[in-house]
Amino acid sequence: MMANNFLGTKGSISRAVLRVKCHVRNNSTAKYCLDLVRKHDYENYLCTLLLHKDIRRTGFAIRAFNIEVATIQDQVSDLKIGEMRFKFWETSLAEIYNDKIPKHPVLIELYIAAKTHKLSKTYLKRLISSREQFMLNSTLKTIGDMDTYAENSVSSIYYLFLETMGIKSVSVDHAVSHLGKCQGIVNIIRGIPHNVKLGRISIPQDIMLKNKVSYENIIRNSNERNVQDAIYEMASRANSHLIKANKLEKDVDKRVKSIFLPFIPLRLYLEKLQKVDFNLFDKTLQQRNNLLPIKLLWYKITH
């Protein structure tokens, strides 16, 4: 019986994937965005697949745009070249809102989304400016700076999703703000091992100072207690935002629930981090959770 249920659930996911692929297979720009998100952001790829069909295409456009600007930092060694690339996206965004049809596949999809759903230019600009500022200075001085970066680089995505759905609600904005902050902080935590190799330390300085963590501790991939304590503080902050978002989400309209699907991978990651005693360099943290598609579908069905 269990096997039959499992296969049924897996089949439902497969059908959802097929529907999306059929929808975009004759649309090269939409397919480009979908493939880009699948390649670079698998967890959010799964979450976006399960968005309502009316906003799914726009969801992939927004996430693809975010990936384009988020990956600039890792693609360049010269900051001047990085600044030029950010300038390209900033100029292209301005052209979209001046009704100039772009040629880049992600920008074409964003143009369609912006015109169809009247997306705010402000939130899209925040995705660019927050990443550029982080490239130029990846040092976070305080926990508050970490929250601000997470808000601008991730919560902005969820504000755009709400605009796509035509939702105007202070309480829902508050909920997705906390969701974005949690995801932004988790992104920072997950990115530490990679950023260390590039000489970037993104643990807030006040947390490092409080726990007497040195740059050498991080560069050596140290698993010392003080490093674990610093990661624990960051994870606790993320979890606090997740709890608040979860509490606020219970009162939102049912049609908005799918936006909160990232709850699942975020909670699973924080639980796994706790199980390895906040050893950020434990290799199990890099392993993909093969049950995630089923857990996401179950969440959508039951909420």
Side-chain angles (χ1 to χ4, degrees), residues 74-118:
D74 292 331
Q75 294 170 349
V76 300
S77 54
D78 186 329
L79 293 182
K80 288 294 181 184
I81 294 175
E83 288 181 285
M84 289 171 62
R85 292 194 181 182
F86 278 112
K87 186 65 178 176
F88 163 77
W89 291 102
E90 186 179 343
T91 302
S92 299
L93 187 62
E95 289 177 349
I96 284 175
Y97 282 85
N98 285 328
D99 213 25
K100 293 182 180 179
I101 302 176
K103 295 181 180 179
H104 191 287
V106 171
L107 291 169
I108 290 171
E109 285 298 298
L110 197 63
Y111 176 88
I112 295 168
K115 296 302 176 183
T116 304
H117 301 289
K118 295 182 172 57

Side-chain angles (χ1 to χ4, degrees), residues 29-86:
T29 55
K31 185 178 185 304
Y32 181 94
C33 290
L34 183 145
D35 289 343
L36 187 69
V37 177
R38 178 172 52 200
K39 179 181 178 181
H40 292 279
D41 193 0
Y42 184 70
E43 290 178 358
N44 282 317
Y45 163 74
L46 293 176
C47 293
T48 309
L49 274 178
L50 293 173
L51 288 176
H52 191 277
K53 61 182 177 63
D54 291 344
I55 69 165
R56 194 181 296 135
R57 180 174 176 176
T58 294
F60 276 114
I62 293 167
R63 290 216 176 270
F65 176 75
N66 181 59
I67 287 169
E68 291 284 8
V69 296
T71 54
I72 290 175
Q73 183 175 12
D74 292 331
Q75 294 170 349
V76 300
S77 54
D78 186 329
L79 293 182
K80 288 294 181 184
I81 294 175
E83 288 181 285
M84 289 171 62
R85 292 194 181 182
F86 278 112

Side-chain angles (χ1 to χ4, degrees), residues 8-262:
T9 305
K10 189 174 181 180
S12 299
I13 295 169
S14 298
R15 286 193 295 274
V17 174
L18 281 172
R19 282 197 299 271
V20 175
K21 287 186 174 180
C22 287
H23 179 70
V24 303
R25 68 184 173 186
N26 294 320
N27 188 320
S28 59
T29 55
K31 185 178 185 304
Y32 181 94
C33 290
L34 183 145
D35 289 343
L36 187 69
V37 177
R38 178 172 52 200
K39 179 181 178 181
H40 292 279
D41 193 0
Y42 184 70
E43 290 178 358
N44 282 317
Y45 163 74
L46 293 176
C47 293
T48 309
L49 274 178
L50 293 173
L51 288 176
H52 191 277
K53 61 182 177 63
D54 291 344
I55 69 165
R56 194 181 296 135
R57 180 174 176 176
T58 294
F60 276 114
I62 293 167
R63 290 216 176 270
F65 176 75
N66 181 59
I67 287 169
E68 291 284 8
V69 296
T71 54
I72 290 175
Q73 183 175 12
D74 292 331
Q75 294 170 349
V76 300
S77 54
D78 186 329
L79 293 182
K80 288 294 181 184
I81 294 175
E83 288 181 285
M84 289 171 62
R85 292 194 181 182
F86 278 112
K87 186 65 178 176
F88 163 77
W89 291 102
E90 186 179 343
T91 302
S92 299
L93 187 62
E95 289 177 349
I96 284 175
Y97 282 85
N98 285 328
D99 213 25
K100 293 182 180 179
I101 302 176
K103 295 181 180 179
H104 191 287
V106 171
L107 291 169
I108 290 171
E109 285 298 298
L110 197 63
Y111 176 88
I112 295 168
K115 296 302 176 183
T116 304
H117 301 289
K118 295 182 172 57
L119 300 181
S120 295
K121 183 181 177 183
T122 301
Y123 296 133
L124 293 165
K125 284 186 69 175
R126 282 183 192 171
L127 294 177
I128 299 172
S129 60
S130 61
R131 299 293 186 175
E132 183 174 16
Q133 290 166 15
F134 194 71
M135 180 192 73
L136 296 173
N137 183 13
S138 58
T139 302
L140 299 167
K141 292 184 178 179
T142 67
I143 293 177
D145 290 340
M146 181 173 69
D147 271 1
T148 299
Y149 174 69
E151 165 80 12
N152 291 333
S153 64
V154 183
S155 297
S156 298
I157 293 171
Y158 295 112
Y159 296 141
L160 289 163
F161 281 8
L162 291 179
E163 286 188 338
T164 301
M165 298 183 76
I167 303 295
K168 294 182 180 180
S169 166
V170 174
S171 60
V172 180
D173 282 355
H174 196 193
V176 299
S177 173
H178 284 295
L179 175 63
K181 286 176 182 175
C182 172
Q183 192 166 32
I185 295 170
V186 168
N187 289 346
I188 292 170
I189 295 172
R190 291 175 119 169
I192 290 172
H194 170 72
N195 285 320
V196 162
K197 296 175 185 176
L198 302 174
R200 300 193 296 252
I201 307 294
S202 47
I203 300 174
Q205 290 181 342
D206 58 353
I207 290 180
M208 292 182 67
L209 187 62
K210 177 182 175 182
N211 293 284
K212 299 179 180 178
V213 175
S214 67
Y215 286 98
E216 288 72 21
N217 289 144
I218 306 301
I219 292 169
R220 288 189 289 105
N221 292 2
S222 171
N223 188 31
E224 296 171 8
R225 185 74 256 171
N226 59 334
V227 177
Q228 292 177 330
D229 288 343
I231 301 303
Y232 166 77
E233 282 204 44
M234 294 177 73
S236 294
R237 186 73 163 194
N239 192 54
S240 174
H241 285 303
L242 191 65
I243 290 170
K244 290 174 182 175
N246 190 34
K247 183 178 180 181
L248 291 164
E249 178 265 349
K250 295 182 187 305
D251 298 322
V252 305
D253 191 288
K254 187 173 178 62
R255 64 195 177 110
V256 188
K257 296 283 187 177
S258 62
I259 289 179
F260 292 89
L261 282 165

